Amino acid sequence: NELELNDEGVLIPKKDLLINPLEDDPNDDEDMETIRILNEQYEKESKKANIPVPPIVIIEDYDKHVSKDFNRPQSYLRFKALTEKELDDILEYEMDEQDMEFVNKTLPALKIPIKEDRFEQIIDRLEKESGKQSGKLAEMNVLDNYKLGGGKVVTQVYDYWMRKRNKLGKALIRRFQPPTSINDTSPHSTFRP
């Protein structure tokens, strides 16, 4: 065990074993070859790691969305969490690709048209009502209280929602999903406590 890792993760000879450079060491070439081989193995193994890296997106029209008189403060911006009532009033659910296909292909094929915003409202309300019932899925009739119920459209969306919820095995709105376990070592699982 005559080698150690330096700050960059490269194997080097231990400092206390370094030989005076003025002295010739017959094993020097052999040691350097060993270090080179070990470093190559380290580089190969480190490339095998499958760590997801988020993409960087440059927003071309950023200046259009931020007022010209905005100056970034020197301190942190304070976030005020919304109350349950405020969260209940806003639309949290956003359609994914699966939903888009259902709304734009499956339903029109059945001659049942629906607008995307209405679809999101129905799913959002079903999720929020299920979240209030702790573990039980909402019944279709809860939509009547919000004037979202009735007809073939709602029946199809409700059936779709039930299938999707059962397939995923968890809520579709993030705040209703249980936190990731501390013991879960998957780099793909996020939002650890």
Side-chain angles (χ1 to χ4, degrees):
N1 228 349
E2 299 173 351
L3 302 174
E4 64 184 4
L5 284 174
N6 70 2
D7 295 337
E8 289 84 38
V10 177
L11 287 170
I12 59 170
K14 287 187 177 176
K15 290 180 180 143
D16 56 340
L17 296 176
L18 288 176
I19 300 169
N20 185 341
L22 300 175
E23 298 176 17
D24 284 337
D25 182 9
N27 298 326
D28 193 37
D29 292 337
E30 223 175 89
D31 290 343
M32 292 310 290
E33 180 64 17
T34 303
I35 291 171
R36 187 187 64 74
I37 291 170
L38 289 172
N39 281 331
E40 285 177 6
Q41 287 176 344
Y42 175 78
E43 288 176 14
K44 286 179 186 174
E45 289 177 15
S46 66
K47 289 179 183 175
K48 289 180 185 176
N50 181 18
I51 301 173
V53 178
I56 297 172
V57 178
I58 297 173
I59 302 172
E60 301 293 337
D61 59 348
Y62 174 79
D63 295 330
K64 293 179 185 176
H65 301 290
V66 178
S67 63
K68 298 202 185 300
D69 61 342
F70 176 77
N71 289 321
R72 187 169 46 190
Q74 296 298 318
S75 61
Y76 289 111
L77 297 174
R78 179 176 288 232
F79 172 73
K80 181 182 176 256
L82 299 174
T83 64
E84 282 296 320
K85 172 77 173 108
E86 290 170 325
L87 285 171
D88 198 51
D89 292 340
I90 64 170
L91 182 68
E92 292 181 77
Y93 184 76
E94 291 184 20
M95 292 175 67
D96 60 16
E97 292 168 3
Q98 220 177 355
D99 299 336
M100 292 286 224
E101 186 174 328
F102 178 74
V103 169
N104 296 323
K105 293 182 181 172
T106 307
L107 287 178
L110 298 171
K111 297 190 182 346
I112 303 174
I114 186 173
K115 292 183 179 177
E116 291 177 2
D117 58 341
R118 180 163 162 80
F119 175 84
E120 286 179 334
Q121 289 171 343
I122 293 170
I123 299 288
D124 185 78
R125 184 48 46 202
L126 289 168
E127 283 295 310
K128 287 176 179 173
E129 292 299 318
S130 296
K132 291 176 187 176
Q133 296 177 15
S134 65
K136 288 179 60 186
L137 295 180
E139 298 292 327
M140 189 168 32
N141 60 5
V142 300
L143 299 172
D144 296 336
N145 300 338
Y146 301 94
K147 297 185 173 89
L148 293 169
K152 291 180 184 177
V153 173
V154 174
T155 304
Q156 288 295 322
V157 172
Y158 182 81
D159 291 343
Y160 170 80
W161 171 74
M162 288 289 287
R163 286 191 307 273
K164 188 170 184 176
R165 261 309 276 273
N166 290 330
K167 182 179 176 186
L168 287 175
K170 60 183 178 181
L172 304 181
I173 294 179
R174 176 69 196 123
R175 72 180 168 110
F176 296 122
Q177 295 175 3
T180 303
S181 169
I182 292 174
N183 301 325
D184 188 350
T185 59
S186 170
H188 301 286
S189 298
T190 56
F191 304 107
R192 297 183 197 294

